[in-house]
Amino acid sequence: MGTKEEPRPSIIDSLVSIGLLVIVMAVCLAVYHTDPHVPLMMGSLFASIIALKVGY
């Protein structure tokens, strides 16, 4: 029986996810003066899309 390796995101996937969250949060807070909940939900959505792409 072989062991199944868990999928791992690349460093690029991780940096894009964090970078997008920072950019979206900065724009939403500075330009649109929204609550921080909106960009956090958008960042969580993007992180979940990356997780699906990786195979979780």
Side-chain angles (χ1 to χ4, degrees):
M1 299 256 162
T3 59
K4 184 178 177 186
E5 290 186 30
E6 290 188 14
R8 295 187 54 167
S10 68
I11 190 72
I12 299 297
D13 291 336
S14 302
L15 290 176
V16 167
S17 179
I18 296 295
L20 183 75
L21 176 62
V22 168
I23 290 170
V24 167
M25 186 169 278
V27 169
C28 285
L29 292 176
V31 176
Y32 298 115
H33 304 290
T34 62
D35 290 332
H37 299 93
V38 175
L40 283 175
M41 286 189 290
M42 294 170 79
S44 297
L45 176 70
F46 190 71
S48 65
I49 290 170
I50 288 179
L52 289 174
K53 178 187 125 301
V54 170
Y56 279 104

